[in-house]
Amino acid sequence: QKNKRTKVGVVISDKMDSTIVVLTERLFKHKLYGKFLRRNEKYMADDPQEVAGMGDRVLIEECRPISKNKRWRVREVIEKAV
């Protein structure tokens, strides 16, 4: 089995049934100007046990397409929201 890509992000929505929306942030350097830029991306992730809640930091991993927009699955909850 191949190593699956993983990302760490914060849950910004858990209103759907067995699905969460995870916001990830990445920092990269601009090629020409050298300035560091932040980019945010949202991923819909499958959460069948519904363990993640709003504000939790989660680790998601890539998987087969589950629905039109879901291609990620929750592997673990790293930190629960306060």
Side-chain angles (χ1 to χ4, degrees):
Q1 182 176 343
K2 289 183 179 179
N3 289 339
K4 296 179 180 179
R5 291 192 301 164
T6 59
K7 293 183 184 286
V8 176
V10 178
V11 178
I12 58 172
S13 174
D14 61 352
K15 294 178 181 178
M16 292 171 276
D17 186 34
S18 74
T19 303
I20 59 172
V21 180
V22 179
L23 181 75
T24 63
E25 185 178 272
R26 65 185 179 95
L27 197 63
F28 70 97
K29 194 173 185 178
H30 192 281
K31 288 180 182 177
L32 179 61
Y33 300 115
K35 181 178 181 176
F36 283 96
L37 303 171
R38 290 182 198 274
R39 287 291 177 261
N40 295 323
E41 291 178 291
K42 292 193 284 187
Y43 297 98
M44 292 179 76
D46 188 42
D47 186 15
Q49 284 86 31
E50 297 186 4
V51 292
M54 285 279 291
D56 293 352
R57 283 181 63 82
V58 294
L59 178 71
I60 58 175
E61 69 178 1
E62 200 172 30
C63 66
R64 65 179 176 79
I66 297 169
S67 68
K68 178 182 174 183
N69 297 320
K70 280 200 288 188
R71 275 106 175 98
W72 296 83
R73 180 172 288 134
V74 174
R75 185 189 287 177
E76 67 175 292
V77 176
I78 297 171
E79 182 183 333
K80 289 297 246 182
V82 179

